[in-house]
Amino acid sequence: MKHLAAYLLLGLGGNTSPSAKDIKGVLDSVGIEADEDRLKQLLSELKGKDIQQLISEGTSKLASVPSGGGGGGGAAPTAAAAGGGGAAAPAEEKPPEPEEESDEDMGFGLFE
């Protein structure tokens, strides 16, 4: 991913056909070491292709991918999850938590 990001940054800068040396230069400038194998693979896959066309094709493919959840079923009751068997135990009622006192002033101001 870092190699592709460097490739795209070079493309935005006007270099329409970045070389391995160009990509290594970008990655080195931010302290990242380039992986030779991945870099060669990236360049071989992008050789002779228009990056803008690839991006637009990828965007149209992503548009057809479902990205929303349909909601899901509700949570199963505890007794059913435990295998049933007997009546459900009554829920314990927790006592109300005491309100916390405000630490807003404490008698002095921070910047006074």
Side-chain angles (χ1 to χ4, degrees), residues 64-82:
S64 66
V65 174
S67 61
T78 308

Side-chain angles (χ1 to χ4, degrees), residues 6-24:
Y7 186 95
L8 293 172
L9 283 172
L10 288 163
L12 286 174
N15 186 345
T16 57
S17 183
S19 67
K21 183 179 178 183
D22 297 332
I23 294 172
K24 285 180 188 177

Side-chain angles (χ1 to χ4, degrees), residues 41-100:
Q41 181 183 4
L42 173 72
L43 290 175
S44 69
E45 289 178 6
L46 294 177
K47 186 175 184 178
K49 297 181 182 176
D50 178 29
I51 194 69
Q52 293 301 323
Q53 182 181 359
L54 291 174
I55 290 172
S56 64
E57 288 173 6
T59 303
S60 65
K61 288 180 182 178
L62 284 175
S64 66
V65 174
S67 61
T78 308
E92 294 181 27
E93 289 190 31
K94 295 181 181 177
E97 294 184 21
E99 291 184 26
E100 293 183 24

